[in-house]
Amino acid sequence: MTRFNLLFRPAPWALFVLIGAFCLAAGTGFGQITISGEVTKPLTLQAADLKALPHTEVTGKDRDGKEHKYAGVPLADLLKLAGATMGGELRGENLMKYVVVKAIDGYETLYALPELDADFATRTIILADSVDGSPLPSGVGPYRIVVPGEKKPARWVREVKSIEVRFAK
Ligand SMILES: Nc1nc2c(c(=O)[nH]1)N[C@H]1C(S)=C(S)[C@@H](COP(=O)(O)O)O[C@H]1N2
Ligand SMILES: [Mo]
């Protein structure tokens, strides 16, 4: 038994290597959003890029049942930046496109492209980076989708990491 323990005891430095690797992996993707799929300019946006884009405020009811002010970049603006078929181009077969938003924990939801386009939608779905003037808490942010007016918050994806445009045919 003692012999077994001695044989399999990891070297002390191995722990530091493991912790270092974990921090690096966690740090690399942190606050970075990729936009890919059916777009002409696939993008990786860093925190500074997202911060610099024009923000829109929306109000939404949180889990606590109270109204909160969320600020963020409209998903439509991010999709336009990446060259998705928005506005005048959102017709014909392009109406068969949808957007998949993925989170760090593997959670994912979809939105039809017209739901996100200002020519169609009566509400603005945003990639929020603050609530009531403060950054989103860890586990929620740095970015969360906020869908104003939706009765259930199931599509309010927390810890967003990627946005992908797909064709439903
Ligand atoms: N990343 C991620 N986002 C998520 C979920 C999840 O499991 N992972 N659950 C969704 C569901 S089903 C609900 S009801 C709401 C809950 O939001 P809350 O934690 O702010 O109450 O988050 C949504 N966003
Ligand atoms: Mo839910």
Side-chain angles (χ1 to χ4, degrees), residues 5-166:
N5 278 341
L6 277 176
L7 270 175
F8 286 88
R9 189 185 312 183
W13 54 262
L15 193 63
F16 289 100
V17 171
L18 264 178
I19 292 170
F22 178 79
C23 291
L24 196 71
T28 321
F30 196 73
Q32 182 174 284
I33 303 277
T34 62
I35 308 177
S36 65
E38 298 286 334
V39 295
T40 54
K41 292 166 281 182
L43 290 177
T44 299
L45 296 166
Q46 306 297 333
D49 303 325
L50 285 157
K51 202 175 165 187
L53 290 169
H55 282 50
T56 298
E57 266 189 5
V58 302
T59 52
K61 260 194 196 131
D62 223 339
R63 193 216 295 259
D64 59 10
K66 291 185 194 139
E67 292 279 352
H68 293 277
K69 239 187 216 164
Y70 289 89
V73 182
L75 268 186
D77 292 356
L78 297 175
L79 292 166
K80 275 184 223 157
L81 264 183
T85 52
M86 302 295 277
E89 290 180 306
L90 193 40
R91 56 187 152 77
E93 63 174 11
N94 291 333
L95 292 167
M96 286 295 283
K97 285 178 186 163
Y98 63 102
V99 172
V100 174
V101 172
K102 289 188 185 163
I104 289 168
D105 63 353
Y107 189 77
E108 54 188 352
T109 60
L110 73 79
Y111 315 83
L113 205 49
E115 274 192 282
L116 305 174
D117 192 285
D119 290 352
F120 290 82
T122 53
R123 60 185 179 180
T124 307
I125 299 179
I126 65 166
L127 183 70
D129 57 11
S130 74
V131 59
D132 301 326
S134 302
L136 297 174
S138 75
V140 176
Y143 306 106
R144 176 179 208 172
I145 299 289
V146 172
V147 189
E150 198 135 85
K151 287 205 237 162
K152 251 181 140 168
R155 298 201 297 171
W156 289 36
V157 182
R158 299 183 296 253
E159 297 185 290
V160 172
K161 71 165 187 201
S162 68
I163 298 165
E164 196 188 325
V165 184
R166 296 186 193 161

